[in-house]
Amino acid sequence: MKTKKIFTLSFVIVVFFFITANARVVKSVAVNGMTGVVDIENILPVAGADYSEEMLRKISADITLRYHQKGFTAFFIQRVIFEKDGRIVFFFVESAVREVRVAGIEGREEAVLSRAIYTPGEIFNEITLRKNIKRSKRIYGLRSVRISFERTADDDLIIIADVEKSRSGLSLGVRGDPVYGATPHGRYYTSFGKSFLNVSMLYSPGIEDRAR
């Protein structure tokens, strides 16, 4: 039976504005929390021009849209301050992945799959997550992967992956060998009721093979 990956990705994007006047001349622009992972230079306000609250709302919406189009769907602008001296300050939240929790498998496979789904510390990108899950399903023989999220107090993310293994299949890959370097390996697995058969196959070339 064919199953679907289900992403429960729901982030509330809230932008708070603290602006002391309607239209004022911008003297300088500062951005807190920006790593440069997305280029927004052509969207930010330009020093010397007049900007109103409505214009800044539009700029903030355009910045958020660009981040989301690039896959950074957990991004949001926390607030924008238009200071009395004409300085505008944007406060960005580029949420990183704090942790990946895997349910449905145990032991060493749980730790390996956790790292395969997403690398903790990296800024969250939904496109990257989808690619990682597609690859993990193929390599680790997963029947389905259901993803949900939790936000931490400092707006990082915890990814929760609820996985189900396929009843049977063949996975292929490359494994490092201390003598021969990278060598191909495969794994066939199948289940019979509550029993599970797992057969690994590893090809290690001999000296004759490497001498050719």
Side-chain angles (χ1 to χ4, degrees), residues 26-46:
V26 173
K27 300 291 180 149
S28 62
V29 179
V31 182
N32 290 340
M34 183 174 68
T35 63
V37 68
V38 175
D39 183 11
I40 58 167
E41 289 300 323
N42 62 337
I43 303 179
L44 289 171
V46 178

Side-chain angles (χ1 to χ4, degrees), residues 44-159:
L44 289 171
V46 178
D50 291 349
Y51 287 89
S52 64
E53 178 177 349
E54 181 180 355
M55 294 169 69
L56 290 177
R57 286 184 181 274
K58 175 64 166 59
I59 288 172
S60 297
D62 289 344
I63 291 172
T64 302
L65 177 61
R66 179 165 295 184
Y67 266 84
H68 289 193
Q69 288 175 335
K70 297 292 184 181
F72 299 96
T73 50
F75 167 85
F76 67 96
I77 298 176
Q78 192 175 58
R79 65 185 184 275
V80 180
I81 300 177
F82 202 157
E83 298 177 345
K84 292 181 179 180
D85 61 359
R87 182 172 179 258
I88 293 180
V89 184
F90 290 83
F91 291 84
F92 285 9
V93 177
E94 296 180 346
S95 300
V97 174
R98 176 72 59 82
E99 180 185 356
V100 180
R101 300 174 184 170
V102 178
I105 57 175
E106 298 178 351
R108 182 177 178 275
E109 277 192 321
E110 179 183 358
V112 172
L113 184 57
S114 173
R115 292 192 296 270
I117 289 176
Y118 218 94
T119 303
E122 291 187 355
I123 297 174
F124 175 79
N125 187 289
E126 187 176 346
I127 297 173
T128 300
L129 176 63
R130 290 181 181 275
K131 288 179 179 178
N132 289 349
I133 288 178
K134 183 177 180 180
R135 179 174 179 273
S136 296
K137 286 187 70 176
R138 173 176 53 84
I139 293 176
Y140 301 108
L142 303 178
R143 185 182 185 188
S144 66
V145 179
R146 183 184 179 91
I147 296 292
S148 58
F149 302 86
E150 291 182 4
R151 272 200 184 272
T152 64
D154 53 357
D155 286 315
D156 281 342
L157 294 181
I158 296 173
I159 298 177

